[in-house]
Amino acid sequence: MHEIPLRISAVPVKQYNRHQFIYPDISLLRVGVVNSYSLNDSKVLIQVAKIYKELIECRVDLSGMDFRAMYLSLLDDIGFIKGNNSVAISKLLPEFRRYFGESLLTTLYSADIDSWLTAIIRKHRKTFHPIRHILMILFLSGSLSEFMCYQPRRGIVPQQTRYSLLAHDTVYHDDWLALQKEMPEKSKNDLRKLSPKVYVWLYRNDRDWLMEHSPLKLIPVSEEDRVDWAERDKSIVREVVIAIKKIKSSEKPFLRITTSRIGKMIGKLSVIEKHRDKLPETAELLSRLVESIEEFQKRKIMSVVKKMVVEGLPLYESHVYRRATVAKGRSIEVDNFLIRLLSDLDFSNGSGEQMI
């Protein structure tokens, strides 16, 4: 509805009272955007969300629809069916991946196209997640409305039919050329995403003209040439330090300092995981400050004890464990830490449990 990414709040997903109403106040926002998406990824994600909304609200009638027949017919239209009526899968897979991009497919848990995309165009012996059907619809038709209006057919449309259509309607030519004039820096694939309806129509009906009047394929610039890794390393270190301070300041709930949590908070988990060797300062900082389970439990215990002292509460071991949600006996190291901590306070109630 609002076309903005979700944000992380300080409200835990699991509430003690599941019927509790929490007003969405701006003060509850803990950090920024969950993920930072490119412009193209954002546009596709918005398309996916809108289609999903239509499906959830039952605004389209899908009863009795043969999705596989639709997919195969559309694949035939855009040149992915070979002479023996089989899908040119070796040609389809890289084109599908290039169209959406690896980051978007990963975001939608659909990067394994060698598996599910190959299966979805075969005889359907199992169900497929709606997201994957939506990706197929966007790839083949550009929109749900175009897909719903499409009439599947067998065989290939005669070439003369395509040219007879062009004789009556040149508006798609004009739209395609105008789009390139407006955005000369965009590649053919970018233009296709911006105007899928025009691209699909031209691809089906006048493919030769489309190929001749499209931007030349851009030579990708390697990431090594574009990224100043030293500067990025320093920038990420600053973000990591801020994220760790936020994690340590959170006590409801307590959060463990992990690489995964930090990476997600600053929206750079993929960069940290894939390019750690190029981020020496970040790697060194994480190796020092990321917590083991025992270190995390000690930090919780220390925080709980400090609060209990301020509140003037008796420091029974059992009370500390319960308030810190740490199980006694799970770790000798943690148990000994609490014993030393309470012993340093140098008080005892004579009952065998350390207290003030």
Side-chain angles (χ1 to χ4, degrees):
M1 182 185 300
H2 304 104
E3 299 187 3
I4 58 173
L6 295 174
R7 295 174 179 267
I8 297 176
S9 79
V11 181
V13 174
K14 294 184 179 179
Q15 296 287 332
Y16 291 109
N17 179 3
R18 64 179 180 173
H19 301 294
Q20 180 181 359
F21 173 76
I22 299 172
Y23 185 79
D25 191 271
I26 193 70
S27 64
L28 294 176
L29 294 181
R30 181 181 295 138
V31 294
V33 181
V34 174
N35 285 308
S36 55
Y37 303 111
S38 68
L39 180 61
N40 284 334
D41 284 2
S42 295
K43 288 180 178 178
V44 177
L45 287 171
I46 290 169
Q47 282 183 292
V48 170
K50 288 183 176 179
I51 292 176
Y52 223 118
K53 187 171 186 289
E54 288 188 63
L55 297 178
I56 290 172
E57 296 175 348
C58 300
R59 289 161 56 188
V60 292
D61 183 14
L62 303 177
S63 58
M65 182 173 291
D66 187 342
F67 282 90
R68 179 172 179 265
M70 298 276 280
Y71 295 159
L72 291 177
S73 183
L74 285 162
L75 285 168
D76 186 14
D77 287 349
I78 57 178
F80 288 107
I81 302 294
K82 295 185 287 189
N84 58 357
N85 285 330
S86 63
V87 178
I89 195 69
S90 61
K91 178 182 175 185
L92 174 61
L93 292 177
E95 181 63 24
F96 191 91
R97 193 180 299 279
R98 190 161 44 246
Y99 180 73
F100 288 109
E102 191 70 27
S103 64
L104 180 67
L105 291 173
T106 300
T107 297
L108 296 177
Y109 302 95
S110 298
D112 56 331
I113 60 172
D114 292 357
S115 172
W116 72 262
L117 181 55
T118 302
I120 206 170
I121 57 179
R122 292 176 178 165
K123 188 173 182 180
H124 289 189
R125 293 184 174 87
K126 62 178 182 178
T127 58
F128 297 90
H129 194 284
I131 283 288
R132 295 179 175 177
H133 281 292
I134 291 172
L135 289 174
M136 286 295 291
I137 289 169
L138 289 175
F139 176 75
L140 295 171
S141 297
S143 68
L144 181 60
S145 58
E146 286 289 312
F147 182 79
M148 296 301 295
C149 294
Y150 180 74
Q151 295 297 320
R153 59 189 181 279
R154 294 182 179 179
I156 301 174
V157 180
Q159 191 71 12
Q160 60 269 25
T161 303
R162 294 190 178 123
Y163 286 109
S164 65
L165 287 170
L166 289 175
H168 296 286
D169 193 354
T170 59
V171 66
Y172 291 102
H173 289 175
D174 296 338
D175 287 348
W176 185 248
L177 293 173
L179 192 61
Q180 292 181 68
K181 186 176 181 180
E182 183 181 349
M183 286 172 280
E185 77 285 356
K186 298 291 185 182
S187 66
K188 181 176 71 175
N189 202 39
D190 292 334
L191 296 174
R192 175 183 176 179
K193 292 178 182 178
L194 292 169
S195 187
K197 180 179 179 181
V198 172
Y199 180 90
V200 170
W201 193 94
L202 290 171
Y203 198 97
R204 290 176 187 168
N205 299 290
D206 198 1
R207 193 176 309 170
D208 292 340
W209 184 93
L210 176 63
M211 297 301 110
E212 184 179 345
H213 294 84
S214 293
L216 297 175
K217 186 174 181 180
L218 299 175
I219 300 175
V221 179
S222 69
E223 191 174 35
E224 296 293 337
D225 296 333
R226 290 187 286 109
V227 178
D228 183 341
W229 286 105
E231 182 57 37
R232 175 172 283 194
D233 192 15
K234 289 181 172 59
S235 173
I236 292 178
V237 164
R238 290 192 291 269
E239 293 181 75
V240 168
V241 170
I242 294 172
I244 289 175
K245 288 180 180 178
K246 289 180 179 179
I247 292 173
K248 285 187 174 181
S249 66
S250 171
E251 295 186 355
K252 292 185 179 180
F254 280 99
L255 299 174
R256 182 181 162 200
I257 302 171
T258 65
T259 300
S260 177
R261 174 166 282 115
I262 293 169
K264 289 176 181 177
M265 285 180 69
I266 66 177
K268 293 184 174 63
L269 178 58
S270 178
V271 175
I272 293 173
E273 289 181 338
K274 293 180 180 178
H275 303 288
R276 195 164 184 138
D277 58 321
K278 299 171 185 172
L279 305 167
E281 292 186 30
T282 302
E284 192 275 333
L285 181 64
L286 290 173
S287 67
R288 284 193 295 108
L289 299 181
V290 162
E291 294 176 316
S292 65
I293 294 175
E294 287 79 8
E295 289 170 335
F296 173 51
Q297 291 176 339
K298 289 177 187 178
R299 180 163 63 85
K300 287 205 292 183
I301 287 172
M302 178 66 79
S303 177
V304 165
V305 168
K306 285 181 179 178
K307 278 195 170 184
M308 293 176 72
V309 168
V310 171
E311 295 170 8
L313 298 175
L315 293 177
Y316 294 103
E317 282 186 21
S318 56
H319 291 183
V320 175
Y321 280 122
R322 185 166 59 252
R323 290 182 63 141
T325 63
V326 174
K328 182 178 180 179
R330 291 287 180 86
S331 168
I332 296 175
E333 180 183 341
V334 174
D335 290 344
N336 289 338
F337 173 78
L338 178 55
I339 291 171
R340 288 194 303 271
L341 182 61
L342 296 180
S343 296
D344 288 344
L345 296 173
D346 199 27
F347 287 94
S348 174
N349 69 345
S351 64
E353 285 193 310
Q354 300 294 330
M355 65 167 287
I356 289 182

